[in-house]
Amino acid sequence: MIAFLLNFILVIVFVAFIVVCVTAFRIYRSFHNIKRKFTSGFKSGGETAGGAWQNTSNNAWNGDEVIIDRRSPDEAKRKIFSKNEGEYVDFEEEK
C-alpha cells in the first residue's frame, strides 16, 4: 500500500514537473517571438540591400492590404502642409 502511494506521488510530481517545463517553454517562446518581431521590424524599416528605404505596415482592419512606403525617412517626416495651413483656426462663437 505504501509503495503504491509513493509511486502515485512520484507520478504526480513528474507530471507537475512536465507541466511547469512546458509552460516555461511557451512563455520563453512568446517573449522570443515578440523580441524577434520588434528587431525585424526595426531592420525592415531601415535601409534595405538595394539602398532604398522601405517602411511596411499592415492595416489591422483589412489583412489583404499592404502599404509599402519607399520614401527616405527625411521625406516621410516632412510636413505636407504649408506653415500657415492647419496650425490655428480663427474661432468666432456664433450667437
Side-chain angles (χ1 to χ4, degrees), residues 23-75:
T23 304
F25 178 72
R26 286 182 146 185
I27 292 170
Y28 168 76
R29 190 173 58 185
S30 297
F31 281 117
H32 184 69
N33 287 340
I34 291 169
K35 178 185 158 194
R36 187 175 36 152
K37 284 182 184 180
F38 274 109
T39 56
S40 68
F42 290 131
K43 289 178 186 174
S44 69
E47 194 169 340
T48 60
W53 287 87
Q54 180 176 348
N55 295 325
T56 305
S57 64
N58 292 325
N59 290 332
W61 61 87
N62 187 0
D64 297 336
E65 186 174 346
V66 176
I67 300 170
I68 299 174
D69 186 3
R70 290 194 165 96
R71 298 177 295 173
S72 70
D74 292 333
E75 287 177 324

